[in-house]
């Protein structure tokens, strides 16, 4: 196989377009081997309170540390396994690794709740709950409340009944849910009522242009208002500038993640980051909404 140049020009990426049975199969085999060889890693992006600077959690984001291709992002390989049982194996590896990381940070005296992304296919597994409980039981030192699961608003809607059952059952054991990329699915009030996720995660698309696009600003205000009316938490993703953060604070959204705050970090870098980060004065001085 010819080696491609450039950071994300990974041959697996071409397999995403290669719809042939053979091409897809080869890619699956490579991913499975990567998993067995321990080539997948999680990076963690801090979630903070923009006013106090408090670290409120970290989102686990998968990467493939490929021996030849370097660090490969999830867009290059997750679509290939989307509807394959391997997605569930990889998903459970992510949950288990994230819990192990929480335990390790706990050992260093650092309390960092983690958020893990769950694929649509994984959420539909009939024995999702007992399998999740087994992963939690393997880490008795980690309280279930240290785990949050992020599910795309759109994938929760694909199987509304199963999604709401899982969200409720998780709430009973202390594991919370966030609706990821919120605002890009249907965002209907009736759906929100049936999906008792504790948190709405505003898609970065609305944050990107919020300073120049009054409609995006209106959408942000509506989601923040919706969260408050339904007593859900709200977090913004994709904060890349000081101005975006300040405007979010003015609109009443205090928690966020984004490149301005921190890029996703290797686990070992998070404690040092947390010890050194302070929100800019502009954020601390925004009056409470
Ligand atoms: P997501 O869950 O919405 O995660 C946010 C993505 O936006 C991450 O990309 C993150 O690096 C990026 N991001 C964070 N802050 C900023 C910012 O300020 N500006 C910009 N432009 N981007 C920002 P990443 O790591 O490439 O992940 C992409 C998507 O892949 C994730 O979107 C999630 O849907 C999926 N994903 C990642 N890890 C996993 C996983 O372990 N399991 C599953 N099922 N999906 C995953
Ligand atoms: Mg996410
Ligand atoms: Mg998102
Ligand atoms: Mg996304």
């Amino acid at each position: 196989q010819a080696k491609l140049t450039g950071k994300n020009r990974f041959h697996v990426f071409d397999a995403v377009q290669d719809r042939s049975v053979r091409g897809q199969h080869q890619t699956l085999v490579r991913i499975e081997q990567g998993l067995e060889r321990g080539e997948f890693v999680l990076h963690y992006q801090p979630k903070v309170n923009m006013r106090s600077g408090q670290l409120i959690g970290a989102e686990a984001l998968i990467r493939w540390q490929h021996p030849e291709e370097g660090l490969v992002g999830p867009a290059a390989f997750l679509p290939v396994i989307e509807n394959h049982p391997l997605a569930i194996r990889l998903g459970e590896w992510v949950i288990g690794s994230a819990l192990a990381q929480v335990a390790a940070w706990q050992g260093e005296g650092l309390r960092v709740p983690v958020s893990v992304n769950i694929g649509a296919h994984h959420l539909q597994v009939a024995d999702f709950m007992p399998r999740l409980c087994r992963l939690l039981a393997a880490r008795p030192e980690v309280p279930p409340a240290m785990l949050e699961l992020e599910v795309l608003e759109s994938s929760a809607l694909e199987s509304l009944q199963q999604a709401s059952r899982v969200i409720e059952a998780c709430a009973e054991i202390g594991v919370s849910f966030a609706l990821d990329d919120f605002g890009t699915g249907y965002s209907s009030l009736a759906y929100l009522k049936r999906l008792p996720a504790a948190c709405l995660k505003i898609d970065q698309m609305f944050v990107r242009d919020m300073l120049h696009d009054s409609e995006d600003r209106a959408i942000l205000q509506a989601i923040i208002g919706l969260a408050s009316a339904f007593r859900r938490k709200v977090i913004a993703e994709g904060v890349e500038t000081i101005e975006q953060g300040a405007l979010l604070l003015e609109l009443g959204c205090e928690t966020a993640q984004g490149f301005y705050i921190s890029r996703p970090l290797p686990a070992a870098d998070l404690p040092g980051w947390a010890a050194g980060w302070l929100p800019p004065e502009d954020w601390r001085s925004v009056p409470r909404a």
Side-chain angles (χ1 to χ4, degrees):
Q1 171 118 29
K3 198 169 156 185
L4 298 165
T5 52
K7 222 178 161 199
N8 276 318
R9 299 295 311 279
F10 183 49
H11 54 245
V12 159
F13 181 76
D14 298 321
V16 175
Q17 269 97 29
D18 181 358
R19 315 290 325 166
S20 77
V21 173
R22 194 164 158 270
Q24 295 276 302
H25 180 72
Q26 282 182 343
T27 310
L28 281 168
V29 170
R30 285 202 193 96
I31 295 173
E32 192 163 24
Q33 283 173 349
L35 189 57
E36 274 151 18
R37 292 173 186 161
E39 292 172 0
F40 289 93
V41 290
L42 298 179
H43 281 190
Y44 293 87
Q45 188 177 36
K47 299 183 172 192
V48 300
N49 180 300
M50 290 187 282
R51 202 186 300 278
S52 68
Q54 195 198 349
L55 176 70
I56 56 167
E59 178 175 10
L61 295 158
I62 196 168
R63 276 98 182 83
W64 188 348
Q65 186 65 64
H66 195 277
E68 286 134 41
E69 310 289 336
L71 200 63
V72 180
F77 56 89
L78 287 184
V80 183
I81 58 168
E82 208 166 56
N83 294 307
H84 190 272
L86 193 52
I88 294 147
R89 247 181 82 195
L90 196 63
E92 294 191 335
W93 176 83
V94 174
I95 298 174
S97 307
L99 291 173
Q101 189 57 58
V102 174
W105 281 325
Q106 265 177 200
E108 296 175 48
L110 202 66
R111 187 187 177 275
V112 189
V114 285
S115 306
V116 167
N117 294 283
I118 300 293
H121 187 56
H122 190 179
L123 190 70
Q124 285 166 40
V125 170
D127 56 349
F128 183 89
M129 282 315 292
R131 298 179 71 96
L132 176 64
C133 288
R134 239 173 287 151
L135 289 165
L136 286 163
R139 290 284 163 194
E141 70 273 44
V142 176
M146 294 293 279
L147 178 65
E148 175 181 66
L149 302 176
E150 294 190 6
V151 60
L152 291 176
E153 180 198 10
S154 52
S155 21
L157 295 180
E158 264 173 47
S159 53
L160 191 58
Q161 265 205 339
Q162 164 79 353
S164 60
R165 260 200 302 266
V166 169
I167 293 173
E168 268 166 40
C170 277
E172 272 168 35
I173 61 166
V175 173
S176 60
F177 261 86
L179 296 178
D180 204 353
D181 295 3
F182 192 81
T184 59
Y186 290 94
S187 313
S188 117
L189 301 180
Y191 286 140
L192 192 52
K193 182 180 167 188
R194 292 186 55 193
L195 290 171
C199 181
L200 309 183
K201 194 164 186 191
I202 304 175
D203 192 74
Q204 54 193 57
M205 159 201 273
F206 305 114
V207 174
R208 191 179 308 134
D209 297 323
M210 65 183 293
L211 297 166
H212 319 286
D213 188 324
S214 61
E215 289 183 339
D216 281 347
R217 214 152 51 233
I219 291 173
L220 285 172
Q221 274 177 300
I223 296 175
I224 294 164
L226 201 57
S228 146
F230 280 72
R231 294 198 173 74
R232 315 290 174 94
K233 291 187 288 180
V234 65
I235 182 166
E237 59 180 22
V239 172
E240 293 185 350
T241 69
I242 219 172
E243 292 80 14
Q244 290 168 341
L247 186 49
L248 281 163
L249 279 162
E250 276 171 42
L251 297 178
C253 177
E254 291 202 339
T255 55
Q257 62 190 91
F259 291 171
Y260 178 77
I261 299 157
S262 172
R263 294 195 169 249
L265 302 169
D269 295 350
L270 196 104
W273 180 89
W277 191 77
L278 270 181
E281 182 49 41
D282 289 40
W283 289 1
R284 281 178 283 166
S285 57
V286 175
R288 270 169 211 289

